[in-house]
Amino acid sequence: MAHELIQLPFEANSLEPYMDEETINIHYGKHHQGYVNKLNKAIENYPELQDKTVEWLLENIADVSSEIRQKVINFGGGVFNHNFFWHILKKDVPFNPESEIGKAIIEKFQTFDEFKKQFEEQANTLFGSGWTWLTLKNNDLEIKQTINQESPISGKVIPLIAIDVWEHAYYLKYKNKRNEFTSNFWNILDWDKVNELYINAKE
Ligand code: MN3
């Protein structure tokens, strides 16, 4: 069964003005769709991989033929990372220090502002194209960068937050000002969803 583009779980104009409708339409409809198409193309001659989920492919990347492994990292990662990203976006769902993830962040980073500062710094200084994540590994929160479309799930860590800092994610609106995009990201991060992911992931 071929991989398909997921439904966008919100209206394309619903994150305005922080993430604009035109950027989302191109990002989802062209870039994300492109990764889906290229993943399907990459595995077309590998019937044993065609019934695997994208999560399985990335978590078991060593089992994918070396002939197409880099393509699966690039395009499968592109599919999974965007699937994840769209699902954690919603406007005006603020950080709650009393939530489970709120308490865990404050325990780890002392304050929410310190967490935001460290996360934005990682997102702003990532060289080239990639992502910045808040992940959970062995019950420990960690801010991580991944380059290109590499996905943290290939490294056995559980993603809780992602920001796409490829230029296609922000350039139409923010031009070269990636730091404005990253500081506005907090207005469109669905902290209820992040809390749910954390509760399901922690042991
Ligand atoms: Mn992208």
Side-chain angles (χ1 to χ4, degrees):
M1 243 226 0
H3 295 272
E4 288 181 6
L5 183 65
I6 61 161
Q7 287 281 330
L8 194 63
F10 50 79
E11 296 294 325
N13 65 359
S14 67
L15 305 177
E16 293 270 6
Y18 309 110
M19 194 181 281
D20 61 294
E21 181 173 10
E22 187 185 13
T23 294
I24 288 176
N25 283 334
I26 296 171
H27 195 174
Y28 166 73
K30 302 294 181 192
H31 293 275
H32 192 178
Q33 178 74 66
Y35 294 122
V36 172
N37 296 347
K38 287 174 184 167
L39 175 62
N40 286 327
K41 178 90 178 141
I43 62 176
E44 71 182 350
N45 295 323
Y46 295 81
E48 72 280 11
L49 298 179
Q50 286 168 5
D51 62 345
K52 304 296 191 194
T53 64
V54 69
E55 287 85 356
W56 188 96
L57 292 172
L58 296 169
E59 287 168 358
N60 299 279
I61 194 69
D63 296 336
V64 172
S65 164
S66 60
E67 297 282 313
I68 59 162
R69 190 175 299 144
Q70 191 59 48
K71 287 182 178 172
V72 172
I73 291 169
N74 293 349
F75 308 138
V79 173
F80 173 83
N81 293 344
H82 290 90
N83 289 354
F84 180 86
F85 186 52
W86 303 130
H87 276 98
I88 58 162
L89 300 182
K90 191 174 187 182
K91 200 159 76 173
D92 299 331
V93 189
F95 177 77
N96 174 3
E98 302 301 319
S99 65
E100 293 302 306
I101 187 62
K103 288 186 276 190
I105 281 176
I106 288 165
E107 188 181 318
K108 174 82 185 185
F109 299 92
Q110 279 70 56
T111 64
F112 179 49
D113 282 346
E114 179 60 25
F115 162 70
K116 282 199 294 188
K117 186 174 143 225
Q118 290 187 28
F119 187 92
E120 287 179 36
E121 195 170 282
Q122 295 281 313
N124 292 338
T125 60
L126 186 143
F127 183 71
S129 296
W131 296 71
T132 295
W133 307 80
L134 178 69
T135 64
L136 193 70
K137 185 174 192 178
N138 302 327
N139 266 349
D140 193 31
L141 294 175
E142 190 187 7
I143 300 169
K144 282 179 75 72
Q145 296 175 332
T146 58
I147 58 161
N148 299 321
Q149 293 297 356
E150 287 181 10
S151 183
I153 66 171
S154 294
K156 310 289 179 208
V157 307
I158 301 166
L160 302 175
I161 296 175
I163 184 169
D164 186 344
V165 291
W166 283 58
E167 284 185 347
H168 68 225
Y170 64 87
Y171 209 86
L172 277 179
K173 179 179 175 69
Y174 292 94
K175 307 294 185 275
N176 59 318
K177 294 177 182 152
R178 187 195 287 182
N179 61 327
E180 287 182 13
F181 170 63
T182 58
S183 64
N184 272 339
F185 175 67
W186 308 111
N187 296 305
I188 55 167
L189 177 61
D190 181 352
W191 278 104
D192 289 347
K193 184 74 189 179
V194 178
N195 190 47
E196 188 186 309
L197 291 170
Y198 176 70
I199 288 169
N200 290 334
K202 73 171 180 166
E203 284 152 20

